[in-house]
Amino acid sequence: MRCALVLALLAGCYEPKLAPCAVRCAAGVGCPDDTVCGPDANCHDPGDTKLCPPSLLTLTARTGGNGAGKINGGPIDCGSTCTASVLEGTVVTLVAVEEAGSRFGAWSGPCMPNVASCELIIRDDVELQADFVALARLDVTFEPAGTGTGRVVSEPAGIDCATDCNGDFDLGTQVQLFAVPDDGSQLTMWGGACADAGECIVTLDASPRSVVVQFDTVN
């Protein structure tokens, strides 16, 4: 009998019984033959209805991009990279929070990309990243010596004003300003970053950048 068992082992015919809770079937990983994936995301023998205890999983959160911000919520509160141990099945809500001078860009990982708040049900180890975008401010000043009136609008949108104002744009954006004189007025000068320019186009490679505009009455 002992010899027969040894021969079976040598022939590769012996298959040990699957240990309970030894093989997970989460994240698209299948189960070995003759076992099934249970509601607890573990492989079970057919007819085995006993659920495995929740696993302790790892949640890893990072920030990226050229802006600044942090991720907080649940066990996570960090501005670079942090990890937390979370019981399987836990619901975690994370929020990407930008710092002044930045905006939230997008998530990578299991979150909806463009929504700052992310709710997860932890079923497996999770890695995610929130990217932040640096902003640059463009100031528009109306020359007080001007005798006329008008407004300034921008492309892309962000500035539309008839008095001193400013707008925030992604760092590196090329912004074109358009002068819209009121009836009886005309544009007579661009100054600041658009001095001596026929068209006012500013590349926001630094923050802040400033533009002066002057309207005068038509003689």
Side-chain angles (χ1 to χ4, degrees):
M1 181 68 178
R2 181 178 298 175
C3 293
L5 177 59
V6 171
L7 290 174
L9 288 171
L10 292 174
C13 300
Y14 176 71
E15 294 184 4
K17 184 177 177 63
L18 179 69
C21 306
V23 179
R24 289 181 55 78
C25 50
V29 178
C31 289
D33 292 343
D34 300 325
T35 61
V36 294
C37 187
D40 56 359
N42 285 273
C43 296
H44 294 266
D45 289 323
D48 179 9
T49 59
K50 184 178 180 180
L51 299 181
C52 299
S55 300
L56 195 60
L57 302 173
T58 300
L59 172 60
T60 302
R62 301 182 179 88
T63 59
N66 64 352
K70 67 177 184 176
I71 302 170
N72 60 31
I76 296 293
D77 186 1
C78 66
S80 54
T81 300
C82 57
T83 61
S85 296
V86 183
L87 277 177
E88 179 184 9
T90 301
V91 178
V92 176
T93 300
L94 301 176
V95 180
V97 182
E98 67 271 13
E99 294 183 6
S102 297
R103 68 172 179 84
F104 167 65
W107 291 102
S108 58
C111 299
M112 293 183 63
N114 300 318
V115 180
S117 179
C118 173
E119 183 175 279
L120 300 170
I121 301 176
I122 306 300
R123 299 296 189 193
D124 212 331
D125 292 336
V126 175
E127 293 190 12
L128 50 81
Q129 177 169 309
D131 288 325
F132 296 92
V133 179
L135 299 175
R137 193 180 80 233
L138 178 57
D139 296 326
V140 176
T141 301
F142 285 72
E143 172 56 53
T147 58
T149 57
R151 64 189 311 103
V152 173
V153 297
S154 68
E155 174 59 41
I159 288 176
D160 185 349
C161 58
T163 58
D164 294 353
C165 64
N166 60 67
D168 289 325
F169 301 87
D170 292 354
L171 185 67
T173 300
Q174 187 177 79
V175 179
Q176 183 167 6
L177 297 179
F178 299 91
V180 184
D182 292 334
D183 290 343
S185 295
Q186 61 184 350
L187 170 69
T188 53
M189 182 195 73
W190 286 113
C194 287
D196 302 320
E199 292 184 330
C200 182
I201 300 175
V202 182
T203 299
L204 297 178
D205 51 5
S207 180
R209 300 294 298 275
S210 299
V211 170
V212 178
V213 63
Q214 181 172 333
F215 294 99
D216 286 302
T217 54
V218 177
N219 294 328

